[in-house]
Amino acid sequence: MPIEGFASSAIIDQLTHVLTSLSADDRKKEVNKTKAVYAFQVTNAKGKHFFVVDLKQAGKVTDGASEAEAAKGQPKPDITITIDDGTFVKISEGKTTAAGEFMSGKVKIKGNMMLGMKLEPLLKRFKKLAESLPAAPAAKAPVADEASGAVAQEIAVKGYEGSVVIAQIAQVLGADEAKRQSVLKSTNAIFQIDLNGPQGVKSWVLNLKPGASAADVVVPGTAAQNKKTAGVVLALKDADFVDLASGKITGQSAFMGGKLKAKGNVMLALKLESVLKAAKSAGAKL
């Protein structure tokens, strides 16, 4: 049922329609594809509304004017997304991405950040299901770049929130040719990022040299494993990289404080923040 003042409630209505229209077996199949509970705190100029989408157990949707009301009878959310009503609609229409809006600070995520990368594919899947059902609610759904989204999901590693940031860079630069070429031209360097997390050190390569393709601009593994030569190898804790990406710390302060270690051309390390800012500024355009 549409909620006055919240255009994005039509998106939730579509999810509800699909789940209630499917047979018990088909609903179970869709739940098994996701295995997660999404909670949304949607805001507008007048206030907020809460939605919980259970795609882990029963396959049902609840909502309420408070978080407690929406969560009643539902499993604990694996991810909570705080998002503006208009931004949610734009994501559903493919005019922007959750990754880009997270980088720009318009979307806040609590919990399993990797599930945030799967929001567009999830909405698109349910949009297709809704089209096959009678009397589906009129709600626009995403047409986001599936290729860049798939690449981004492969880059993200469970337990490494910094890898989600790196995956978002891949998605932004992979989806926007003009932005990618601009960043490659201004950066002209190859970075190896080593993040120390729960399973030890994991590495990624940012190939930001002119000519790099959308698929080659960010790849998992070391430079040597990808047969590339890094201009600088940057090593830091996973949490510190997230703080760097969010602007809580600067590259200079991280380096001076011993949180960031650089091997190679140290001056290139200063360009990393420019890359992160470029990805953020592209968020509203995706």
Side-chain angles (χ1 to χ4, degrees):
M1 179 177 179
I3 299 171
E4 185 177 357
F6 290 88
S8 60
S9 64
I11 302 166
I12 304 298
D13 278 353
Q14 188 175 70
L15 291 171
T16 304
H17 175 75
V18 170
L19 291 172
T20 55
S21 299
L22 292 174
S23 66
D25 287 342
D26 286 339
R27 183 164 58 251
K28 184 177 181 180
K29 288 179 182 178
E30 291 305 317
V31 167
N32 288 335
K33 288 178 182 178
T34 308
K35 295 182 179 179
V37 179
Y38 283 77
F40 297 92
Q41 178 179 305
V42 184
T43 63
N44 64 14
K46 295 183 178 180
K48 61 185 70 173
H49 201 83
F50 299 83
F51 304 91
V52 176
V53 181
D54 170 20
L55 294 173
K56 192 174 190 177
Q57 295 182 14
K60 67 176 183 178
V61 180
T62 54
D63 74 290
S66 69
E67 186 175 8
E69 182 182 355
K72 188 175 182 179
Q74 289 278 43
K76 182 180 178 180
D78 296 289
I79 179 173
T80 299
I81 300 175
T82 301
I83 186 170
D84 172 77
D85 182 59
T87 300
F88 199 0
V89 172
K90 288 181 180 178
I91 290 174
S92 77
E93 295 175 341
K95 294 179 179 179
T96 186
T97 66
E101 297 298 346
F102 175 79
M103 291 292 288
S104 68
K106 292 182 179 179
V107 170
K108 299 185 185 304
I109 294 176
K110 179 181 179 181
N112 188 339
M113 293 181 69
M114 291 182 67
L115 291 173
M117 302 294 298
K118 299 178 181 180
L119 181 59
E120 287 94 345
L122 173 66
L123 293 175
K124 186 168 186 177
R125 191 173 91 231
F126 273 82
K127 182 256 186 181
K128 289 182 178 179
L129 287 170
E131 289 176 343
S132 67
L133 297 171
K140 296 182 179 179
V143 292
D145 188 326
E146 289 187 283
S148 62
V151 171
Q153 288 185 43
E154 290 178 2
I155 292 169
V157 176
K158 185 176 182 180
Y160 290 75
E161 292 192 1
S163 72
V164 177
V165 175
I166 294 172
Q168 289 163 351
I169 294 173
Q171 188 167 359
V172 168
L173 298 184
D176 191 328
E177 174 72 19
K179 173 60 67 176
R180 182 171 72 255
Q181 294 306 324
S182 175
V183 170
L184 298 184
K185 183 178 179 180
S186 62
T187 309
N188 190 26
I190 296 178
F191 298 81
Q192 177 177 313
I193 309 293
D194 293 343
L195 299 184
N196 193 346
Q199 299 176 38
V201 176
K202 299 287 185 182
S203 302
W204 293 263
V205 174
L206 274 61
N207 179 14
L208 304 179
K209 278 185 168 290
S213 67
D216 193 45
V217 72
V218 179
V219 290
T222 65
Q225 289 171 335
N226 286 284
K227 297 181 180 180
K228 301 183 187 298
T229 301
V232 64
V233 178
L234 303 175
L236 64 169
K237 291 181 180 179
D238 179 58
D240 290 334
F241 183 71
V242 174
D243 286 345
L244 179 63
S246 65
K248 291 182 179 179
I249 61 175
T250 65
Q252 184 176 8
S253 66
F255 182 75
M256 295 296 290
K259 293 183 177 181
L260 171 63
K261 299 185 185 302
K263 182 179 179 180
N265 187 342
V266 178
M267 295 303 294
L268 288 177
L270 300 178
K271 290 189 174 183
L272 181 60
E273 284 181 276
S274 297
V275 174
L276 294 172
K277 288 178 181 178
K280 284 185 179 182
S281 67
K285 301 177 182 178
L286 296 178

